[in-house]
Amino acid sequence: MSNRQMKTDVILIGAGIMSATLGSLLKELVPEWKITVIEKLASAGEESSNEWNNAGTGHSSLCELNYTVEKSDGSIDISKAIKTNEEFQVSKQFWSYLVNSKLIRNPQDFISPLPHMSLVQGAQNVAFLKKRFEALTNNPLFQGMEYSDDPAKLAEWIPLIMKDRELNEPIAATRIESGTDVNFGALTRNLFAHLKDQNADILYKHSVDDIKRASDGSWELKVRNLDSGSVDHHSAKFVFIGAGGGSLHLLQKSGIPEGRGIGGFPVSGIFMVCQKPEIVEQHFAKVYGKAPVGAPPMSVPHLDTRFIDKKKSLFFGPFAGFSPKFLKTGSMFDLITSVKTDNLVTMLAAGSKNMSLTKYLIKEVMLSKEQRMEALREFVPNAKSEDWELVVAGQRVQVIKDTAAGKGTLQFGTELVSAADGSIAALLGASPGASTAVSVMLDLIKKCFPQQVKAWEPKIKEMIPSFGVSLLKNPELIKQIDSSTARALGLVENLPLTVASRTVS
Ligand SMILES: Cc1cc2nc3c(=O)[nH]c(=O)nc-3n(C[C@H](O)[C@H](O)[C@H](O)COP(=O)(O)OP(=O)(O)OC[C@H]3O[C@@H](n4cnc5c(N)ncnc54)[C@H](O)[C@@H]3O)c2cc1C
């Protein structure tokens, strides 16, 4: 049994979109650094980043109703929508830079233009959607959005959804052509091919079993070869724990104080998928509805055209559910072994506070296919069970921690946890997720490499012209970025419409 000691500059744990993004950024900033990637599965992008395991929405708040909240005075808070949109603009700029520099190829394999729509029924929901539309459409980031409550117009936009629909209450939708479907699995594989070309050492079928601080301040990882069973030790001055659902356990093993008191709650997902060309051809959009009462924000139902393996298909869901695993390929003991003395009270508090959510998830997991078809028929009234199959999606581990809102608060966002000296960082949580990978990894770079950031800034600005700038305050820059990224990635530009063509009633 070998027991080699290996030294490198940077170790990335996990070959998902987050490690792929950080590795690609670092390779541009400091090409001479040696990067080692350690991944326990046989290839890159097999867990949450895989195209079958997530919804592939390039989240930019063009259709997700949960990013715009109605305040008690009736106005719409669009601050989260602006943040998410700006973050996606950052991702598009970095991907465009990589494509234009010929570092990654064929953007059409990982990003496709696709209209984003929100659809609601009932007078109250229609009033909300109209107010949301008015709040967004006056903002330069959301130019080009259209609104309609005219069933004839909706039938043009979403024929599959409007066919055989009983219209006994008001219905309305917004639509914007500049939305995207992103194949995050293909993008992850593309980025790892690039990293390999740049001499990154990528070890598949190797699992990180332990992380310890060495006496010189660097980190030493116990790495097991899953084929041979042999164990090696890899050390580096900087480690990124990009292990998706596996990150919490590894963060706990590192023992850094910043990781204490944090727990995780797994939420599983199921999609219904249709691959019949005659049905798929009747739909061309991502259509987001409103989450059912009591449902967590990640289970907003949506009916999406997806582009996978150069074929179009339809995905509906995700239905949330409960499984104690933290990764799709994880263990039934993941949840229980994540409870430690330092997060026990937080976890118990979360447990008692979130009984209704737990009950909701367990109820969801028990749904029969026919019951899921009923939910689908709210979107596609004449959907037939034989045309749709169930596909198990990825696991999301939501962060639980004590916040100003109380002990054991469940977080639905993404959480970057890093050591005070910046030598190790972990990414927890999963929303908005892959779409914001570039912004999140830039935040990591600012936090973990504060000394170098000043010197790196010109290169970062070359790759991401909006770095450090509020796009909202620079409408001219929005236009420039929009047209340059649309050109590089083959997307639709965000063109403003005339007032008359924006609204159809
Ligand atoms: C149902 C669902 C729908 C989603 N929809 C969207 C969406 O529409 N848009 C969007 O932007 N995001 C979406 N997301 C979120 C997005 O998929 C994730 O945020 C993103 O893929 C996380 O990437 P990652 O690199 O952190 O993790 P992953 O892709 O999960 O990669 C982590 C890797 O680490 C490896 N690993 C774990 N433990 C170890 C270990 N000990 N040793 C070695 N390797 C290890 C795993 O095998 C895995 O390959 C969705 C997620 C789910 C589950």
Side-chain angles (χ1 to χ4, degrees), residues 40 44 48 115 122 148 171 204 207 221 227 269 287 315 331 387 394 411 425-426 454 489 497-498:
K40 69 177 177 185
S48 286
S148 180
I171 185 165
Y204 291 113
S207 163
L221 274 57
D227 278 336
V287 180
F315 274 42
S331 142
D387 296 335
Q411 311 282 299
K454 199 90 222 115
L489 301 174
L497 299 167
T498 60

Side-chain angles (χ1 to χ4, degrees), residues 379-489:
F379 275 72
V380 184
N382 61 11
K384 292 192 189 65
S385 197
E386 64 267 26
D387 296 335
W388 295 80
E389 54 176 333
L390 296 180
V391 170
V392 177
Q395 284 289 103
R396 295 193 229 220
V397 180
Q398 308 302 146
V399 171
I400 293 173
K401 64 177 196 180
D402 301 340
T403 66
K407 270 210 157 309
T409 307
L410 198 55
Q411 311 282 299
F412 289 104
T414 309
E415 198 99 6
L416 188 63
V417 181
S418 59
D421 68 354
S423 61
I424 191 164
L427 189 75
L428 307 174
S431 191
S435 305
T436 58
V438 182
S439 299
V440 177
M441 291 302 111
L442 284 172
D443 284 348
L444 179 150
I445 286 175
K446 281 190 257 173
K447 260 180 130 175
C448 296
F449 301 98
Q451 257 91 41
Q452 290 96 323
V453 162
K454 199 90 222 115
W456 291 348
E457 209 172 294
K459 182 70 194 181
I460 300 179
K461 278 196 152 292
E462 181 197 328
M463 300 188 290
I464 300 149
S466 76
F467 179 73
V469 175
S470 155
L471 275 179
L472 205 52
K473 293 191 186 137
N474 290 277
E476 230 4 84
L477 187 58
I478 298 180
K479 274 195 220 146
Q480 276 170 27
I481 288 173
D482 199 44
S483 67
S484 62
T485 57
R487 231 182 2 258
L489 301 174

Side-chain angles (χ1 to χ4, degrees), residues 13-19 38-41 46-49 53-57 59 184 206-208 242-246 250 269 271 288 318 327 329 393-396 427 429-430 432-435:
I13 307 176
I17 187 68
M18 296 297 168
S19 290
I38 303 166
E39 164 58 53
K40 69 177 177 185
L41 300 180
E46 287 300 309
E47 267 286 343
S48 286
S49 302
N53 290 342
N54 63 65
T57 304
H59 285 301
F184 290 109
H206 282 70
S207 163
V208 176
L250 292 170
F271 290 116
Y288 274 60
L327 289 160
T329 56
Q395 284 289 103
R396 295 193 229 220
L427 189 75
S435 305

Side-chain angles (χ1 to χ4, degrees), residues 169-432:
E169 53 179 351
I171 185 165
T174 56
R175 179 177 189 273
I176 184 161
E177 290 212 351
S178 56
T180 53
D181 179 62
V182 186
N183 182 329
F184 290 109
L187 175 61
T188 304
R189 292 187 290 274
N190 206 331
L191 291 170
F192 272 103
H194 156 60
L195 284 176
K196 197 157 188 288
D197 287 347
Q198 305 285 311
N199 295 324
D201 200 7
I202 306 173
L203 305 175
Y204 291 113
K205 295 201 189 169
H206 282 70
S207 163
V208 176
D209 287 355
D210 205 1
I211 306 182
K212 288 275 167 291
R213 180 82 96 159
S215 52
D216 65 355
S218 66
W219 291 94
E220 194 171 277
L221 274 57
K222 185 171 154 199
V223 177
R224 191 161 39 96
N225 178 324
L226 296 175
D227 278 336
S228 67
S230 64
V231 171
D232 291 325
H233 290 88
H234 292 249
S235 65
K237 287 206 186 69
F238 175 75
V239 173
F240 171 57
I241 308 177
S247 291
L248 180 61
H249 282 100
L250 292 170
L251 175 65
Q252 290 171 335
K253 286 191 168 138
S254 78
I256 60 168
E258 293 78 3
R260 294 220 183 100
I262 298 177
F265 183 79
V267 177
S268 58
I270 290 180
F271 290 116
M272 301 200 72
V273 176
C274 173
Q275 309 209 58
K276 274 201 156 172
E278 61 273 30
I279 297 170
V280 174
E281 283 311 319
Q282 295 176 52
H283 188 74
F284 190 72
K286 277 185 186 274
V287 180
Y288 274 60
K290 268 197 123 181
V293 176
M298 80 287 278
S299 61
V300 176
H302 45 106
L303 180 68
D304 299 353
T305 303
R306 297 291 307 278
F307 301 88
I308 296 178
D309 299 335
K310 300 195 193 311
K311 269 195 351 226
K312 275 194 279 184
S313 51
L314 298 184
F315 274 42
F316 177 72
F319 293 90
F322 178 77
S323 149
K325 290 182 182 182
F326 276 14
L327 289 160
K328 195 169 164 181
T329 56
S331 142
M332 297 302 268
F333 297 105
D334 283 344
L335 178 58
I336 198 76
T337 55
S338 73
V339 182
K340 309 280 178 200
T341 44
D342 62 74
N343 66 12
L344 177 67
V345 176
T346 304
M347 291 292 280
L348 289 174
S352 65
K353 269 211 275 205
N354 292 293
M355 279 314 283
S356 58
L357 172 65
T358 313
K359 276 194 205 142
Y360 173 86
L361 295 176
I362 290 172
K363 195 177 94 228
E364 284 285 288
V365 109
M366 309 290 278
L367 292 179
S368 64
K369 181 171 178 196
E370 206 27 57
Q371 285 168 316
R372 292 182 203 277
M373 285 303 298
E374 279 311 309
L376 168 60
R377 284 186 194 113
E378 288 186 21
F379 275 72
V380 184
N382 61 11
K384 292 192 189 65
S385 197
E386 64 267 26
D387 296 335
W388 295 80
E389 54 176 333
L390 296 180
V391 170
V392 177
Q395 284 289 103
R396 295 193 229 220
V397 180
Q398 308 302 146
V399 171
I400 293 173
K401 64 177 196 180
D402 301 340
T403 66
K407 270 210 157 309
T409 307
L410 198 55
Q411 311 282 299
F412 289 104
T414 309
E415 198 99 6
L416 188 63
V417 181
S418 59
D421 68 354
S423 61
I424 191 164
L427 189 75
L428 307 174
S431 191

Side-chain angles (χ1 to χ4, degrees), residues 24-62:
S24 305
L25 282 166
L26 289 176
K27 269 289 164 205
E28 292 309 291
L29 298 173
V30 256
E32 64 277 15
W33 278 3
K34 276 176 63 193
I35 296 181
T36 301
V37 183
I38 303 166
E39 164 58 53
K40 69 177 177 185
L41 300 180
S43 52
E46 287 300 309
E47 267 286 343
S48 286
S49 302
N50 188 272
E51 51 271 41
W52 292 94
N53 290 342
N54 63 65
T57 304
H59 285 301
S60 19
S61 304
L62 304 176

